[in-house]
Amino acid sequence: MTVSNENGQGLRPTREGLAYEADLSLRRLRPRLDAEWDRSQTPEEAICRFESRLAEHWPSLFMLLFELYGQRYDFFYHLEQILLTAARGWADRPEALRELDAHRINEPDWFQSERIVGGALYVDLFSENLGKLRAHIPYFQKLGLTYLHLMPLFAVRPGDSDGGYAISNYRSIDPRIGTIDDLRTLADDLREAGIVLVVDFVFNHTADDHVWAQNAQAGEREFQDYYYMFPDRTMPDRYEQTLREIFPTVRRGNFTWHEGMGKWVWTTFNSFQWDLNYSNPAVFRAMLDELLFIANMGVDILRLDAVAFIWKRLGTSCENQPEAHAVIRAFNAAARIAAPGLLFKSEAIVHPDEVVRYVSTEECQVSYNPTLMALLWESLATREVKLLTRSLSHRHNLPPGTTWTNYLRCHDDIGWTFDNQDAEAIGINAFDHRKFLNEFYTGQFPGSFARGVPFQHNPQTGDMRISGTMASLAGLEQAIEADSAELKESAIRRMLLLYAVTLSIGGIPLLYLGEEWGMLNDYDFVNDPAKAGDTRWIHRPKMRWEFLEELKDDGSIRKRIFTSAQRMIQLRKDLPALAGLQMELIATDNPHVLAYVRAHEGNRLLVLANFSDEPQTVAGNRLRTAGLGRFFQDRIRGTTLATSVDVTLEAYGFLWLERV
Ligand code: GLC
Ligand code: GLC
């Protein structure tokens, strides 16, 4: 299909040429596709819908696959297999989901509503199993959640499974948690309750006991090609020259020797997580099959795990490669055809410039916002919002039809992934600053309120990340130990301040469950040999339902955090200005106060947030010119204020202001 110029040299095919090829290939594949439909099972009308979406999205799917695999002699065979996989996925899609697909095609911005508020949890730690989780739907409703991310729940290898991220079978649930039918039932119940279901798609690697890995270990070439394997150190050594180490305290380097096969296996994360080889189209097809199977359980959003790592190229960091984007875009195009209601959320915990490259309607419609997360903690440590403001000023906007998830803590560590130039522009030395933040959040810096612990300290590079729960990092653990009313008050206010920002700044707020009542670090994880080596377990404690008894006790800290979070969530859902992403920063001339206006369809809300432990003032005329007119109301407290006087925020205080 390569066209030649007069001298007979190969040229890249033109876009028009490719469009023509796409059309031609579909006509050639037509008989195979027609034969695939079982018309006694799939209604004619459903086939028609598939066909019309195929006509719309096939050109992009074809071009992406051509970019990735077009040079192979067997390209056409793989193309056919991928198309048939998509058709089977649609044939297997339950009617209720097909209906939802139709709604979502008509209402593509459904996930940008102010009414979407998320929570994340580990099923086993929260409710033991999927069956019991259903009984907690009223709890999610009471808190106001409309989006639920269940941490990995598929069958995993025995022993350490990296918190479920070492999957041995994408089609069965970890038997300790339940069955596939339990997941289907839960998904139905959540849909009924208006709660969106989010599940991981762990597609960078499988566990070393996945059937593909087992076949590879049995010496089958076909399956060895599903992974990256090398007979000796030649290639691994060459790759290593430019690779980072993600889990350096677990094992040095990115490769693991497998005695049985006599080969080095590429393992970016733990030694038992084998990186999949997407340069092999059979891997793409096989994983598309798994993707559609998971979507058809009733999953609304797939969290694409570790997106940065899925393509390797010698001489690079093997992160964020152009082909990684092409692979995700191809999955997305296939999903538009076979499961059109499905969205992707990217987990790219990398440099902020790279994070946004995964976000578009053609790739991932939703993305974690790791930069905001890290800089909110940075602001609490420094008590200033300079770096946060600088970063937000040019990094908050995303393409239309996409959004952030804004979180404070998740199941992973905190890495200081801000941009060095953003820091330098305001006179901060990035290297020293990261060192300071690590000292601060591990409680070593004088005056620190935080009780975090190090994660993956690399003595060679000085790199380190932080583990710890939101409450422990915000000072509650230290305050409770000191039994100081004043310290407790500050810690609670810090937590509420962080909520006030993530619930209003633009994007889907995402709580890690337990945060809502101030769960502290759990130091007992060291007693479990499968967890002891990984400090992230410190912030993944078991849910203590007995603590919720305290929600009845008016004076309790837990009740105060819970009811405040709950109120802010309810309030958010009543403020149409908080839909979408649009956010405009307001200069307050006060280095401690973050200020921004949220606007959506003529509705406006001005948010002020004081990151210092002292009261701070913002000039009234600043607020007047930010569009508040003469009088405005704080929606949090219901008080009315005038812009004729300056506004004073108490220590860690915040306001959600609307013009009256
Ligand atoms: C993602 C997960 C993390 C896991 C890693 C490897 O980053 O969030 O928990 O360790 O991928 O799967
Ligand atoms: C995962 C890991 C985190 C690492 C990141 C790299 O999120 O949990 O530690 O920094 O991947 O992308």
Side-chain angles (χ1 to χ4, degrees), residues 162 244 246-247 269 303 305-306 308-309 319 347-350 411-413 415 417 455-456 465 536 540:
D162 188 19
R244 273 205 291 165
I246 305 300
F247 289 164
F269 295 92
R303 172 191 179 277
D305 183 57
F309 301 91
E319 292 182 40
E347 190 244 353
I349 314 301
V350 288
H411 67 292
D412 280 334
D413 45 285
T417 57
F455 178 67
Q456 300 298 332
R465 283 106 78 192
R536 289 175 298 176
R540 301 169 181 173

